[in-house]
Amino acid sequence: MGWWQVGADTLAGSRFVVSPLAEATASLMALERGTAAHPGERAWLDAHLAAYQERLAADPVTALLVRAALGHRWTADFLTPAPAGQGPPGAGPAFEEELVRIRDTPADTARADLEVSLGGPLPRALRDGGLPERAAALLEWVWAEAVLPYWPRRRRIIEADVVARTGQLSQGGWAAVLDGMRPGMGWLGEGRLQINPYDNPPREITGAQLLFVPVTPRHGWVAWDQPHRYAVVYPCAGVLAGPLGAAVPESLGRLLGPARAGVLVLLGTPMSTTQLVALTGQGLGSVGRHLKVLLDAGLVGRRRAGRSVLYHRTAAGEVLVKAQQDG
C-alpha cells in the first residue's frame, strides 16, 4: 500500500483549503468518465457532457492529452498541483492564480508526467510542445462553462464538509477524520497515513505542509510539491454532495411546509446550521426559524460538537419522517 510518514507537527499544522482549480479538475474527471455518483450529478452531466464532447471532438490533440493525463492508476502530476494554501484558514487562491502553475509547466516536465500516467511512451501527437497550455485552456473552459455557474453553492457545500470534518476531529481525533476520507485512505497508526491501496514506496513528509482539499465531484487524488507541500484531494461526504430535496415526502411537505420538511429530512444525519444553509439554499434566518419550530415541536434536538452546534432528528422526528415515507 502507499503511505506517508507524517510527523506530529505536520499533522498538527495541517489545514483544509478551498481550491477552485481542484474543483475544476475533479469536474473534468467526471466529464471525461461520464458516470454520475448520484442523480444531482447526473443532471449536471446531462447539462454539460454534450458540449464537453463537442469541444474535444474539435480538438483531437487535447482529447488525446486528457486520456493520457487521467491514467488508470495515476493522474499526470502537472495537471494536479498541490494548492498554495495561503491566506486565512479555509481560504485558497483564485482559479486564475492556480491555473498559471499548470500553464507555466515546462514542456519536458509535462511529457515526463504523461508517460507515467499513460504507462508508456507518448503518441506522436503528444510529443510536441504546448501541452501545458492545452491542458490549462481545457480546465479554463470547464471552469467557465460547467463549474462557475454552480460555484457559490458548491463552495457552501465544501465549507459545510469542512465543518463536519472539524466536528469529527473534536470528537474522535485525526483517525476519525482520515479513515474513509477517500477510497483506500486511512490512519495506520505510528504516524503512518495510508493514501491509496497501491504498492508504492512510503514517503517521509515530516516538516512539510499538509493540506486537505474537499471537492464536490466523486473524484480525489494526492499531490505534492516536494519537499514542502503535500495535499489530499477528497470528495465531500455523500450526504452533502448528493441530490437535495428529492427524498422529501409530499405528505410531509404539506404538513410542515416544503422548506421545513426538507430541513427535517436532512437531519437524519446531524448537521450544523452552516451545513443546512449550504444544502437547502435557504438563508441563515430561514433555517434558524425552521429549526426553532422543529425544536419546539420536539422533532429535532441539538448537541454541541467542539465549536459547532449539531441538530438531529429526535425519536419523534424519526417516527414522523418514516411514517410519511412509508405512506
Side-chain angles (χ1 to χ4, degrees):
M1 74 187 79
W3 55 275
W4 293 344
Q5 187 71 45
V6 182
D9 289 344
T10 296
L11 194 58
S14 63
R15 52 183 297 196
F16 291 90
V17 173
V18 178
S19 169
L21 178 60
E23 184 72 12
T25 304
S27 298
L28 171 63
M29 294 175 179
L31 287 165
E32 179 63 22
R33 289 160 188 169
T35 56
H38 51 73
E41 191 167 78
R42 181 73 262 167
W44 174 80
L45 280 173
D46 289 344
H48 299 286
L49 185 57
Y52 171 77
Q53 292 172 338
E54 288 176 8
R55 191 192 186 286
L56 291 191
D59 186 356
V61 176
T62 297
L64 192 60
L65 167 62
V66 172
R67 287 193 288 272
L70 303 182
H72 177 63
R73 290 182 53 176
W74 198 256
T75 300
D77 286 348
F78 83 95
L79 196 67
T80 56
Q86 299 172 347
F95 175 77
E96 293 78 8
E97 296 173 8
E98 293 189 285
L99 193 63
V100 167
R101 300 176 61 200
I102 294 178
R103 186 173 280 120
D104 290 348
T105 302
D108 290 345
T109 299
R111 284 193 290 268
D113 290 347
L114 287 169
E115 287 180 350
V116 173
S117 60
L118 189 60
L122 298 181
R124 182 177 299 274
L126 297 182
R127 296 176 190 170
D128 296 330
L131 298 181
E133 176 59 39
R134 286 181 179 274
L138 181 61
L139 282 167
E140 194 170 33
W141 182 91
V142 170
W143 169 257
E145 299 294 329
V147 179
L148 186 57
Y150 311 93
W151 181 237
R153 179 182 173 273
R154 287 192 180 197
R155 180 166 186 132
R156 290 197 302 269
I157 290 173
I158 288 169
E159 291 169 346
D161 183 90
V162 172
V163 171
R165 303 285 178 181
T166 52
Q168 284 182 308
L169 179 62
S170 67
Q171 290 184 304
W174 275 110
V177 177
L178 297 173
D179 286 343
M181 180 177 275
R182 58 184 296 264
M185 181 172 168
W187 185 251
L188 303 177
E190 299 180 346
R192 296 174 301 157
L193 173 61
Q194 180 181 337
I195 59 168
N196 60 44
Y198 305 136
D199 188 19
N200 296 327
R203 287 178 176 270
E204 171 65 61
I205 71 167
T206 298
Q209 183 181 33
L210 178 58
L211 306 173
F212 298 103
V213 187
V215 293
T216 61
R218 306 302 292 167
H219 298 282
W221 59 89
V222 294
W224 52 77
D225 295 333
Q226 294 177 295
H228 303 299
R229 187 165 55 246
Y230 289 75
V232 175
V233 180
Y234 69 91
C236 290
V239 69
L240 296 175
L244 307 180
V248 177
E250 183 180 352
S251 57
L252 187 63
R254 291 198 303 268
L255 178 66
L256 299 178
R260 188 168 298 149
V263 169
L264 182 62
V265 168
L266 284 171
L267 289 178
T269 298
M271 293 186 184
S272 67
T273 53
T274 301
Q275 291 171 299
L276 289 168
V277 167
L279 293 175
T280 62
Q282 302 176 45
L284 181 61
S286 295
V287 169
R289 286 190 291 273
H290 294 320
L291 287 172
K292 184 178 187 308
V293 171
L294 294 170
L295 282 164
D296 291 345
L299 301 176
V300 162
R302 61 185 174 188
R303 59 178 173 80
R304 181 166 291 280
R307 297 182 180 180
S308 299
V309 174
L310 300 182
Y311 295 84
H312 59 90
R313 286 203 299 257
T314 62
E318 293 286 355
V319 169
L320 177 60
V321 171
K322 187 175 187 306
Q324 304 306 309
Q325 289 173 335
D326 292 345

